[in-house]
Structures are given as C-alpha cells and as structure tokens.
C-alpha cells in the first residue's frame, strides 16, 4: 500500500495495552479516518502489538506503528514512526533509545518505511511527559524553536504537539504551524467531540484522536466529520 502521510487529516491512535472489541474496532476502521496509528506510553509489548496489528490488517486503511520501545518493534506495518522528544530532559528519549535500536537493527531497516516525528510534549501530567521528563513549561516561542529545529535543522517530516489527555492551547498550535515550511503539524490531546476536533483541525494539519475511543466511542466516531477545507497543504 502506498501511504502518503501528507494527505492525512484525521488519525485514530490505538493503544495495544487497552482492550477494544471487534465491533468497536470495525467502526473505527470503517469510519473514514485516514489512518490508524498504533502506540502507547506504557505496557506496550511485542505480543499485544502483533495482536492489534493483525486485527487492524483486516481493513484496507494505512496502519502505522509509533515505536515506544525496542521490544515492541513488530514488522508488517505500513510505516514506522519514531518519536524524538525534543523537549525531553532525559536524553534517552531524544537519541538514547534510538542509538540502542540502531545498534541492533540499523542494517536491517528499510528507511523508506521510517518516519521521524519531532515530538513536543506539553501536558506535564501525561504518562509520556513523566517518562521522558519533558520540560513542559514552554511558551509559543519555545515551541516554535523546537518546531523549526525539527523542520529545518533535522528535516523531520512531522512535528507532533502532544497534549495527550487534555485539550491544548490552540493559539500556540496555530503559531507553531505558521513557522513550519515542510513538516506537517500533528496535534493530539483531549479531542473528545466534533467541536474540539474542528478547533484543532483549524490550526493543525493532522489531528490525532486517542483516549475518547475507549470512553465514548460514539463521540470518537463523530470527530471524523471534521471539516478541513482551510488548508491547501
Ligand atoms: C495521544 O496524541 C494522542 O498520544 C491523542 O491524545 O488520547 O488525549 O486523544 P488523546
């Protein structure tokens, strides 16, 4: 399958460590979303990732793995997203884990399938923020500098503003996107209804919907109806 992340506007993120029924997965995969991202901060294993991938693979849509630990690298996804947490104070999450993984698998990788994500984690309560010791007390200028770093200095195709669990500062998201020239701005965090999906869609290139899938599937499904007419990117 040829997968073009530049066309993605809406993505559902599924966590291998959380249960989802076949019925719910069917509705998610047939919802009209552009892709499924598989990933989570804790409890992600090879086994639960393989299981979830095999179930999603019954559907036509693109399915990518966001790699959070080396043990859970499962072949067979369309693409592999590698988060580089630019505002992590623990360097393990900027280059440490990546270094270890490349020592092990560097010669085996198909680089056409690898996509680097310049992550900026902005909700200090999120599991990912704690894990990476993210410096979350950032203003729009700080975030813009990280965004430029990802886009211009490192040539990363994605800048991911991660508010996981809370709905973020849309003005900050808007200002961040303005400084990007090539990278796509992914926004994730607290989208739990169509109205919030719409607000995020007006300032980001791609919106990611996670938690609400597990607590209110109906609301999650409504977020697919977001209108993205604003941007021609
Ligand atoms: C999490 O950015 C995603 O990695 C989505 O966030 O779970 O808050 O929707 P939520």
């Amino acid at each position: 399958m040829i997968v073009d992340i530049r066309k993605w506007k809406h993505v559902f993120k599924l966590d291998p460590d959380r249960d989802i029924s076949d019925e719910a997965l069917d509705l998610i995969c047939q919802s009209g979303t552009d892709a499924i991202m598989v990933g989570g901060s804790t409890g992600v294993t090879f086994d639960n990732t393989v299981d979830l991938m095999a179930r999603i693979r019954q559907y036509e849509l693109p399915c990518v793995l966001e790699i959070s630990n080396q043990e859970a690298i499962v072949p067979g996804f369309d693409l592999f997203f590698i988060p580089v947490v630019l505002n992590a104070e623990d360097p393990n999450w900027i280059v440490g884990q990546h270094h270890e993984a490349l020592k092990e698998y560097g010669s085996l990788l198909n680089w056409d399938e690898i996509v680097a994500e310049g992550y900026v984690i902005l909700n200090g309560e999120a599991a990912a923020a704690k894990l990476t010791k993210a410096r979350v007390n950032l203003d729009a200028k700080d975030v813009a500098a990280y965004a430029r770093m990802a886009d211009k200095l490192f040539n990363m195709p994605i800048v991911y503003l991660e508010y996981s669990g809370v709905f973020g500062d849309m003005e900050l998201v808007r200002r961040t996107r303005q400084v990007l020239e090539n990278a796509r701005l992914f926004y994730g965090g607290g989208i739990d209804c169509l109205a919030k999906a719409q607000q995020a869609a007006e300032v980001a290139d791609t919106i990611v919907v996670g938690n609400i899938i597990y607590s209110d599937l109906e609301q999650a499904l409504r977020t697919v109806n977001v209108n993205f007419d604003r941007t021609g990117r």
Side-chain angles (χ1 to χ4, degrees):
M1 186 187 303
I2 296 179
V3 176
D4 181 1
I5 60 165
R6 301 192 70 83
K7 298 213 169 103
W8 295 358
K9 294 169 176 171
H10 180 286
V11 173
F12 278 126
K13 192 185 276 195
L14 294 176
D15 185 341
D17 193 33
R18 296 176 84 169
D19 291 329
I20 185 163
S21 68
D22 287 341
E23 294 71 27
L25 190 66
D26 187 65
L27 289 166
I28 289 290
C29 292
Q30 312 249 40
S31 64
T33 188
D34 295 306
I36 304 288
M37 197 184 289
V38 171
S41 301
T42 55
V44 179
T45 65
F46 188 89
D47 289 349
N48 60 22
T49 304
V50 171
D51 284 352
L52 184 57
M53 181 188 74
R55 292 171 68 203
I56 298 167
R57 276 299 191 209
Q58 296 171 36
Y59 301 88
E60 284 281 302
L61 80 176
C63 180
V64 306
L65 177 63
E66 187 171 60
I67 296 175
S68 51
N69 72 67
Q70 231 192 99
E71 288 71 45
I73 302 179
V74 171
F77 285 87
D78 293 306
L79 295 173
F80 297 87
F81 282 10
I82 316 285
V84 174
V85 183
L86 299 169
N87 64 329
E89 289 196 325
D90 179 350
N92 206 25
W93 301 96
I94 310 172
V95 289
Q97 299 251 355
H98 317 65
H99 182 242
E100 286 305 313
L102 290 174
K103 252 165 79 181
E104 191 78 20
Y105 305 110
S107 61
L108 306 172
L109 293 179
N110 176 358
W111 289 97
D112 294 338
E113 296 174 349
I114 309 279
V115 179
E117 300 173 291
Y119 247 75
V120 185
I121 301 177
L122 292 160
N123 170 18
E125 297 305 311
K130 292 186 173 147
L131 192 67
T132 61
K133 302 192 170 47
R135 193 166 68 94
V136 295
N137 207 357
L138 303 176
D139 63 22
K141 276 180 88 171
D142 292 316
V143 177
Y146 281 127
R148 285 202 165 98
M149 192 183 293
D151 184 26
K152 305 303 286 177
L153 195 58
F154 297 139
N155 242 326
M156 292 167 164
I158 294 172
V159 170
Y160 193 132
L161 296 189
E162 172 66 290
Y163 280 90
S164 183
V166 296
F167 193 62
D169 176 347
M170 291 300 112
E171 178 56 18
L172 183 147
V173 178
R174 188 184 66 76
R175 286 175 63 181
T176 307
R177 184 180 173 278
Q178 277 177 345
V179 306
L180 297 180
E181 285 184 24
N182 296 308
R184 239 182 127 74
L185 184 70
F186 278 45
Y187 168 82
I191 297 176
D192 57 8
C193 61
L194 178 57
K196 284 187 191 147
Q198 191 60 48
Q199 282 180 56
E202 277 161 22
V203 289
D205 296 310
T206 304
I207 60 170
V208 182
V209 177
N211 271 304
I212 192 70
I213 298 166
Y214 299 94
S215 53
D216 189 339
L217 182 64
E218 208 171 301
Q219 289 293 343
L221 292 168
R222 287 203 187 123
T223 64
V224 177
N225 297 323
V226 70
N227 178 359
F228 266 94
D229 284 348
R230 168 194 59 84
T231 169
R233 293 219 303 176

